Amino acid sequence: MSLYTPLFHGSSLSDCFSDRALLQGMLDFEAALTRAQASCDMVPREAAAAISACCQAERLDSDALARDAALAGNLAIPLVKQLTAVVRGEDEQAARYVHWGATSQDAIDTGLILQLRAALEQAETQLNRLITALTRQVGDHAASLMPGRTWLQHALPTTYGLKLAGTLDALLRHRARLNEMRPRLLVIQLGGAAGTLASLKAQGPVVIQALARELALGVPDTPWHSQRDRLLEAAGWFAGLAASLGKFAGDFALLMQTEVAEVSEPVAEGRGGSSTMPHKRNPVTCAAILSSTGRIPGLMAALYAAQNQQHERALGGWQAEWETLPQLATLTGGVLDNALTLVEGMQVYPQKMRQNLDITHGLIMAESVTLALAPQMGKARAHHLVERLCHQALDDNQPLAWLLQQDETVSRYLSESQIASLLDPAGATGSADHFLRQVLARSKESL
């Protein structure tokens, strides 16, 4: 399905989960393991150097590995076999020390952690660029009045800047979660056959520390062969970030509808066209984001189900992670790239936003009239009165301002100029600017 890769998986995160990256992650573990053991005088240093020199993905036959993995049940078993043969061709004595004391899952899990470390670095770079671009757009549209919508209907006025600030606020939290998660996630796996590391006898803890130093990873208190909460947390971070951007893309696409036309995707040759309708400018970037975020919950469900791992080595649950987590991460990378394209080049039409505020002829401002009447009439009575006039405005297709001016009860308390002021959306955004400025301040401080 590589033809769809640029559309859904086209970010730099995909390189972190390529076949080469998968193999190199395990080989980096094998090289670091033998160097760690050499530093503890368990393996001759010459052997460690020879093994490390052979730990290059290009020296393995990936097609044979794929065939043999289908028989072995995992990729590490044929990888170790091939690596041993490569080392033997260079140094027959050194070949004796390949994969010394480790189990297949140690190589696969630690290799995956190395891939995730690289992927999170790429994701953070993308996220920082997105935060920077969104911060600029929030500032540019701080005063762009538009209808706030609840249940897909006009509610009260808001600003496009505040709408964007909500997404920015979420992205800042996702970045904070990333920094909090890293120390828990980025740890080695070395437990041997059953999680006791009995093969290394009393030297196990020393080798663990040395291996962690070699790979610049943390040291877990216990091997985590069948405790997969770390990977679930990483998956949840990717999924949560994608979900926040999916919400943004969904709103953006709704604002692009012909009848709304408050925003538009960036203009580019070939973007959003139709094979039959020359006038179309489809929200194709939004569609790419939403198609990915629609798939991610199913992948998360698979990873939750995979938490049920039997005893000290899983039967199916561990194996289910191998494709699922990389797919989730690379889909999120594509979402990040598409969101950046959207945010950096979005077209915004404040005049159309202002026009849309007026399509209900003042009904969107009915609450402000209710609140102005409430001190004199009581909240319930004022609400009932204004609601009746709103229904009349809809039924008779008349401006709310005119009906308010003609109503004896309303005119008793509010002058024509007061009614006009109450129905002006520019004065009804409440604390929107305050909320927006708080997010901007936090964003700029963090950047």
Side-chain angles (χ1 to χ4, degrees), residues 105-167:
Q105 189 166 359
D106 294 333
I108 291 172
D109 282 351
T110 304
L112 176 59
I113 292 298
L114 294 174
Q115 288 180 275
L116 282 170
R117 179 170 66 184
L120 290 174
E121 289 172 357
Q122 293 296 321
E124 185 176 32
T125 298
Q126 291 175 287
L127 181 55
N128 284 335
R129 289 183 62 195
L130 183 55
I131 287 172
T132 299
L134 198 53
T135 298
R136 175 177 57 81
Q137 294 283 18
V138 169
D140 288 348
H141 295 287
S144 297
L145 277 177
M146 68 178 298
R149 295 172 171 94
T150 60
W151 291 51
L152 297 179
Q153 306 292 309
H154 280 205
L156 292 172
T158 185
T159 67
Y160 191 53
L162 180 61
K163 192 173 186 70
L164 295 175
T167 300

Side-chain angles (χ1 to χ4, degrees), residues 73-97:
N74 69 57
L75 196 55
I77 292 173
L79 180 141
V80 170
K81 184 177 180 180
Q82 278 199 31
L83 176 60
T84 302
V86 171
V87 174
R88 185 177 295 115
E90 301 288 335
D91 185 333
E92 188 168 348
Q93 291 300 312
R96 299 166 52 194
Y97 298 101

Side-chain angles (χ1 to χ4, degrees), residues 365 368-369 372 401 405 415-428:
M365 297 303 302
S368 65
V369 179
Q405 292 164 13
S415 67
E416 185 174 331
S417 62
Q418 287 176 314
I419 292 172
S421 178
L422 289 169
L423 295 182
D424 181 4

Side-chain angles (χ1 to χ4, degrees), residues 193-377:
T196 62
L197 208 53
S199 56
L200 299 186
K201 299 183 172 58
Q203 289 183 292
V206 180
V207 173
I208 288 173
Q209 293 288 341
L211 176 61
R213 286 194 297 272
E214 287 285 342
L215 294 174
L217 292 173
V219 176
D221 289 336
T222 63
W224 43 279
H225 289 152
S226 54
Q227 299 291 343
R228 315 301 284 179
D229 58 287
R230 289 181 174 89
L231 299 185
L232 189 65
E233 183 178 12
W237 183 82
F238 283 116
L241 175 58
S244 293
L245 295 174
K247 183 265 192 293
F248 168 72
D251 284 354
F252 198 95
L254 289 173
L255 295 178
M256 270 188 72
Q257 292 182 104
T258 305
E259 296 82 356
V260 181
E262 294 177 358
V263 299
S264 183
E265 288 195 357
V267 176
E269 182 67 30
R271 184 192 299 277
S274 166
S275 61
T276 57
M277 295 173 283
H279 67 281
K280 291 298 291 293
R281 283 188 61 190
N282 294 317
V284 292
T285 307
C286 293
I289 293 171
L290 292 169
S291 63
S292 294
T293 57
R295 294 162 61 187
I296 285 173
L299 297 171
M300 276 302 301
L303 291 170
Y304 271 108
Q307 295 295 296
N308 182 16
Q309 303 209 0
Q310 302 79 15
H311 300 307
E312 281 65 56
R313 185 78 81 255
L315 181 66
W318 170 47
Q319 294 82 354
E321 299 167 354
W322 297 344
E323 289 184 315
T324 306
L325 183 52
Q327 286 175 5
L328 196 157
T330 56
L331 282 171
T332 302
V335 168
L336 275 166
D337 265 15
N338 280 313
L340 183 61
T341 296
L342 197 57
V343 170
E344 286 185 331
M346 69 170 70
Q347 295 181 298
V348 183
Y349 308 115
Q351 184 176 358
K352 190 62 167 67
M353 292 175 173
R354 188 62 181 83
Q355 291 173 3
N356 286 342
L357 280 168
D358 296 331
I359 62 174
T360 59
H361 304 295
L363 293 183
I364 195 170
M365 297 303 302
E367 184 190 47
S368 65
V369 179
T370 300
L371 295 175
L373 291 171
Q376 288 79 23
M377 302 176 57

